[in-house]
Amino acid sequence: MFQNIGEILFMFWRTLLAMPQVFRQRQKVFEQLFEIGNRSLLMACILSLFIGGVVALQSGPVLVERGIGNALGGLVGISLAKELAPVMMSVLIAGRIGSAMAAEIGSMRVYQEIDALRTMNINPIHYLVLPRILAISVALPTLVLFAILVGWLGGGFVSVVNHRIAISFQTFFSNLKEVVEVKDVINGLIKSFVFAVMIGTVSCHQGLTTIGGPRGIGRSVTKAVVNSIVLILIADYYLTRFLLVIDHD
Amino acid sequence: MTDAPTHSIGVQVRGLRKSYDEQPVLKGIDLKIERGEVFVIMGPSGSGKSVLLRHVIGLEDPDEGEILLDGESLRITNVAERFRLAMVFQSGALLSSLTVGENVGLYLAEHRLKKPDEIDRVVTEKLEFLGLRGVKHKMPSELSGGMKKRVAIARALVIDPQLILYDEPTSELDPLSTITIGEEILALKERIHVTSLVVTHDRDLAFGVADRIAIMSEGEILFTGTPDEVRKSQHPFIRKFLTADFKFNASSQSA
Ligand SMILES: Nc1ncnc2c1ncn2[C@@H]1O[C@H](COP(=O)(O)OP(=O)(O)OP(=O)(O)O)[C@@H](O)[C@H]1O
Ligand SMILES: [Mg+2]
């Protein structure tokens, strides 16, 4: 599945080397940012509202039964900020934006548009890959920040409304404020930044290496999404360990 | 950069071989294309003409042999970038996410060679030159096949190339547009002494514009010569290839 991990890393390296081109390509970065925001902001908000809600719903009654219902805010707050929002949003973006990147670049590859760029001495890494990776790595952490806030609201709402939990909004949020620190949110944003870079790199690489006509485009899209999600989940474990170590130093 | 006087470049292909999945497509091609020449390659479908062009412009790496531009091997990095090369793809290969005008002006815009209003002027001029009015703001998907081809040619001309490769430039054009393209190929040769390498099935175009013609079949060059020499060739395959349609026409006319 990841036999071309070397190739992917090499492409990422070439993208890093292309960083000085960013200013020239800023217009395309903005276009991509707009595209991503436009396609995903609403979806991200709805999704995180429900994620926050379900965490409260699952753990709220358990805590309330044991008389520690007022710890719910912290629990929901931490799990959303450090884990659920970054991972779920990244999976959502892999499906929505990673797929679009692979499809777009893949069809450019299949219909020789990339060859045409190369004959004009326009480097596809500068022209296509750099703006996309940059845009997604700005957009995803921003979406995650939204998702965390909306998710907390969702959790708080359910805690108030659900009769088996039924704690007040104030209890929920004062506990959340007490437990969750800024660095926890930053922790989640760092994770999502790493995931964003992975989604962008894997999807662009998959697009660039598309072969075999329109069916090849379909295959590339599937691979880009599946590989991104698998990578996100594996990287999540190691990133969490890494960030925990840093946290305790 | 564009202000430098254009000098056309010569192309040499030496012992070029290429296989895809063990299938030999080019079986040792040798060609020498002189500066400022219009060189036409003809051959049946699948004989490897497009693959040959892709090698000449550096999109593919040969398995064996090499391509020299003005005596410098394409294997050396940056050789392809040092020259202004342009290719008109068989399919046009316009960027589908850009308008026609943006496609034509892409080279100038990306390399910051001209100011936006100047680019706009050049784009309009080139499009009109190829008989395309009022399409600048359309998307490529809104154009007919022949129009796309002409836009692709306009895009190649904007580069002000020293070597221009045409892959079937007239395959989707009506006879009048074909003549326009043929005249344009000749005009470019006169005006800026560009070297042209034209792949075509169109005999009228080939004999109309060529300084020399090469006949290609199954990955090999069978014959190279002036149009007259090709007409006189006694090679059985070439005779068959050049007269196939005439026979068909003769029999259908007599029927
Ligand atoms: N990337 C590739 N992978 C595998 N096979 C290829 C590839 N490109 C070309 N071929 C094969 O090489 C042969 C020659 O193809 P090419 O496109 O050069 O033909 P052509 O002479 O341009 O034909 P046409 O006149 O129809 O355009 C074909 O048999 C094709 O299947
Ligand atoms: Mg061809």
Side-chain angles (χ1 to χ4, degrees), chain A residues 23-26 28 104 107-109 111-122 127, chain B residues 54 57-59 81 83 85 87 89 91 93-96 98 106-107 110-112 155 159:
Chain A
F23 188 69
R24 272 187 147 199
Q25 304 289 353
R26 62 190 182 282
K28 280 189 221 61
E104 233 176 308
S107 91
M108 292 185 74
R109 166 79 214 220
Y111 297 111
Q112 295 187 317
E113 293 177 26
I114 296 199
D115 289 338
L117 285 177
R118 283 173 59 196
T119 64
M120 289 187 270
N121 284 339
I122 297 172
Y127 187 78
Chain B
R54 291 173 60 81
I57 202 158
L59 287 173
E81 278 125 65
F83 296 106
L85 314 175
M87 174 151 169
F89 285 83
S91 60
L94 301 176
L95 271 66
S96 55
L98 301 183
L106 185 64
Y107 179 81
E110 274 305 304
H111 294 291
R112 305 286 147 101
R155 184 173 69 177
I159 296 175

Side-chain angles (χ1 to χ4, degrees), chain A residues 37-48:
Chain A
N38 211 12
R39 280 194 194 204
S40 335
L41 188 57
L42 185 66
M43 190 62 148
C45 288
I46 295 174
L47 198 67
S48 44

Side-chain angles (χ1 to χ4, degrees), chain B residues 31-76:
Chain B
L31 283 177
K32 192 161 189 297
I33 299 157
E34 305 293 340
R35 292 179 174 179
E37 180 175 45
V38 177
F39 193 94
V40 173
I41 299 175
M42 296 176 82
S45 199
S47 53
K49 306 182 298 293
S50 297
V51 172
L52 175 59
L53 284 195
R54 291 173 60 81
H55 278 84
V56 171
I57 202 158
L59 287 173
E60 307 268 345
D61 286 324
D63 293 342
E64 267 178 58
E66 61 180 349
I67 317 273
L68 306 175
L69 299 183
D70 259 3
E72 292 185 73
S73 174
L74 267 188
R75 285 188 191 277
I76 304 168

